Each structure stands twice: as C-alpha cells, then as structure tokens.
C-alpha cells in the first residue's frame, strides 16, 4: 500500500487522524524540528505554480489531507484515504493529547490578543494543557529574531503557527533550523476559531463536505482565493483524463 498520494505534484500522507497522531507522537520524541503541513486544494493548486512552495510541502515531514478536495483528488487516482485531517481538528486532538502526555505548546499567529484568548479557551477546556506562551502573527522581520528567542527560551515541544497558508509554510521552513522545538504545524485561521472570533461551519456543512461553501458565504472576500478551487478540480480532471495535454 502506498504511504503517500501525489496531488498536482504535492505529496500528501495517506493517514487518518489516528495515524497522524501516532506519527506526531514519534516526532515529539525525536531530536530535530519537524514541519507539518495541512494541505488543502487551494494550496496544492498554488504549489503547482510556485515551485518554492511545492519544494517546502514535499520536504515536510508530514502532510495531512486538509479538505475534501485533496481527499477527492487522491481517491480519483485510486489511493485509499479514509478521512480529512483538518488544521482545526488536528489542533483540538493534539491539544488533548498534549494535556495527557505533558507536551508543551506555544501558539503563534493571528491578530494581537487572539492567541491569548485562544490559549485561555483551550486551557479552560483542558486544564492539564501546558501552553507555555503565545504571540501574535504580525511581527516585522526585524522583530523575528526576538520572537524566535522567546519561543526557544520557553522550550515548547509543539509550535502551532497560525499565519495563514502559505505564509506559515514559508515561515516554518525559513526558521525551522533556529527553532528548538520538536514539531511546527501550520494551522491557518484556527486560532481565530479557538478564540471564538470566527465560527467553524455548522455540523451539517461539515458532514456534507461543504465547509468551503460556508467559508465563502461568511467571508465573501475569500472569493479571490477560492477561485482556485474550481481551477484545482479542472486541473486534477485534466491530469487524469487528458494526460500530456
Ligand atoms: N495572519 C497572521 N499574520 C499575517 C497574516 C495573517 O497572523 O501576516 C493570520 C490572520 O490573522 C488569521 C490567519 O493568519 O488568523 C489566516 O486565516 P485564514 O482563515 O485566512 O487562513 P487559512 O486557514 O485559510 O490558511
């Protein structure tokens, strides 16, 4: 059984949530800093045109199938893939596990104040969770060495980076070698959801795999990015049925 699917040139691990958690557990026990990407269709489409982004995705230590578009494209090519593993679900599940295992977590990203709110909410629901620090996602590049230094002094095992995709993928890749953490995960807009600033789609949308539609309806400005979704579908179909064209 293959372990990874290739979607528009980007590799994605064929793991469900349990498989992802198992792999993350091993990473936390490891010795180097590992990068985790939660890959959705928009980013896979962008990466096909931006080779530096694709190289980052393909050198990541774990890439989860974040979104029905990736799951659909992988299945169309005959890969067996059980479920999506989204950034927000991974954040919840990882926080639960971190509380149990005593893994320390740092939250980086979103507007000033949001990471603090997200930390409070997480710690209220998981009293054992050690969030050792948090910071917002709007520091200048001159301020970045101080941010890295702060993270390193607090010695988290896991750094959740919520700068939005693909900014967070570039950020993690650029700073990975200076970070003394075990796992860095790009989690997009998850801190806004955890802080209660943005709502996740209602259960029905999630169940019908229409979360992307809910996001479009609630944030119409996303149309500029979401235009990549139909382009992604067309490209996947073209690659499958008209290869070489
Ligand atoms: N963000 C940030 N720094 C930036 C730009 C964006 O911290 O320079 C944050 C922004 O405040 C938001 C998140 O990144 O919390 C992006 O959310 P979005 O839902 O657009 O991300 P996606 O899940 O689509 O990657």
């Amino acid at each position: 059984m293959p372990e990874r699917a290739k979607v528009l040139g980007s590799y994605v691990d064929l793991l469900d949530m349990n498989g992802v958690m198992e792999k993350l557990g091993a990473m936390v026990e490891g010795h180097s800093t590992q990068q985790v990407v939660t890959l959705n269709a928009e980013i896979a489409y962008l990466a096909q045109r931006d080779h530096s982004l694709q190289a980052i995705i393909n050198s990541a230590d774990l890439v989860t199938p974040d979104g029905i578009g990736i799951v659909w494209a992988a299945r169309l090519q005959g890969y067996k893939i059980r479920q999506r593993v989204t950034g927000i679900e991974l954040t919840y599940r990882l926080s639960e596990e971190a509380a149990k295992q005593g893994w320390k977590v740092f939250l980086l990203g979103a507007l000033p104040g949001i990471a603090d709110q997200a930390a409070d909410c997480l710690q209220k629901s998981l009293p054992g969770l050690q969030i050792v620090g948090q910071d917002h996602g709007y520091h200048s590049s001159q301020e970045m060495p101080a941010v890295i230094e702060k993270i390193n002094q607090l010695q988290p095992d896991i750094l959740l980076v919520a700068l939005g995709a693909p900014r967070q993928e570039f950020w993690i890749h650029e700073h990975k070698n200076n970070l003394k953490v075990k796992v860095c995960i790009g989690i997009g807009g998850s801190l806004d959801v955890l802080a209660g600033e943005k709502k996740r789609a209602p259960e029905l949308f999630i169940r019908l795999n229409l979360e992307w539609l809910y996001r479009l309806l609630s944030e119409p400005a996303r149309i500029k990015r979401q235009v990549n979704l139909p382009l992604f579908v067309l490209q996947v179909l073209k690659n499958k049925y008209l290869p070489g064209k």
Side-chain angles (χ1 to χ4, degrees):
M1 272 246 298
E3 290 181 346
R4 294 193 303 175
K6 202 173 185 188
V7 175
L8 299 189
S10 293
Y11 285 105
V12 58
D13 288 278
L14 295 169
L15 291 172
D16 61 8
M17 181 61 91
N18 289 337
V20 166
M21 288 308 300
E22 214 172 284
K23 197 150 181 193
L24 287 173
M27 287 179 175
V28 173
E29 299 302 323
H31 296 290
S32 55
T33 306
Q34 317 266 322
Q35 177 163 10
V36 179
V37 174
T38 58
L39 184 71
N40 64 24
E42 284 164 50
I43 301 308
Y45 186 75
L46 274 184
Q48 193 203 21
R49 302 162 150 249
D50 177 343
H51 289 252
S52 57
L53 176 59
Q54 191 147 75
I56 291 174
I57 295 167
N58 287 344
S59 67
D61 304 282
L62 174 62
V63 181
T64 76
D66 175 354
I68 193 61
I70 297 289
V71 170
W72 165 78
R75 283 183 183 155
L76 188 73
Q77 295 172 74
Y79 295 106
K80 289 212 175 4
I81 188 162
R82 277 191 49 208
Q83 56 175 191
R84 323 183 272 160
V85 179
T86 65
I88 185 72
E89 279 158 19
L90 186 56
T91 304
Y92 284 129
R93 181 69 192 276
L94 187 62
S95 301
E96 280 171 7
E97 198 58 25
K100 272 193 219 147
Q101 305 289 344
W103 299 336
K104 291 185 256 166
V105 179
F106 191 104
L107 308 179
L108 177 70
L111 287 166
I114 299 287
D116 307 68
Q117 253 171 268
D120 284 351
C121 293
L122 269 178
Q123 267 168 336
K124 264 190 204 122
S125 57
L126 295 166
L129 180 64
Q130 296 183 64
I131 298 181
V132 292
Q134 60 270 339
D135 211 333
H136 67 81
Y138 290 85
H139 288 285
S140 65
S141 48
Q142 288 87 333
E143 291 168 331
M144 220 37 95
V147 174
I148 306 272
E149 180 61 24
K150 171 176 161 182
I151 296 170
N152 285 342
Q153 278 184 1
L154 293 163
Q155 298 187 320
D157 299 293
I158 298 159
L159 176 60
L160 298 179
V161 185
L163 303 178
R167 183 181 283 104
Q168 62 206 10
E169 279 64 42
F170 286 109
W171 187 93
I172 294 173
H173 183 74
E174 182 184 344
H175 299 291
K176 197 164 91 155
N177 292 339
N178 296 322
L179 283 162
K180 294 188 188 125
V181 306
K182 299 293 174 54
V183 185
C184 294
I185 311 180
I187 58 165
S190 299
L191 291 184
D192 297 309
V193 177
L194 287 173
E197 287 296 307
K198 273 192 197 162
K199 283 205 169 51
R200 209 183 160 198
E203 190 55 39
L204 185 66
F205 281 75
I206 296 175
R207 237 181 316 124
L208 294 176
N209 289 318
L210 289 174
E211 207 162 357
W212 58 272
L213 177 61
Y214 177 82
R215 292 194 85 179
L216 184 60
L217 294 173
S218 54
E219 295 172 60
R222 289 183 78 88
I223 188 79
K224 277 195 233 115
R225 291 180 55 175
Q226 290 208 344
V227 92
N228 283 340
L229 293 177
L231 295 175
F232 169 86
V233 170
L234 284 176
Q235 189 66 54
V236 170
L237 290 173
K238 190 167 160 243
N239 290 0
K240 164 95 179 162
Y241 297 109
L242 299 169
K245 293 262 172 186

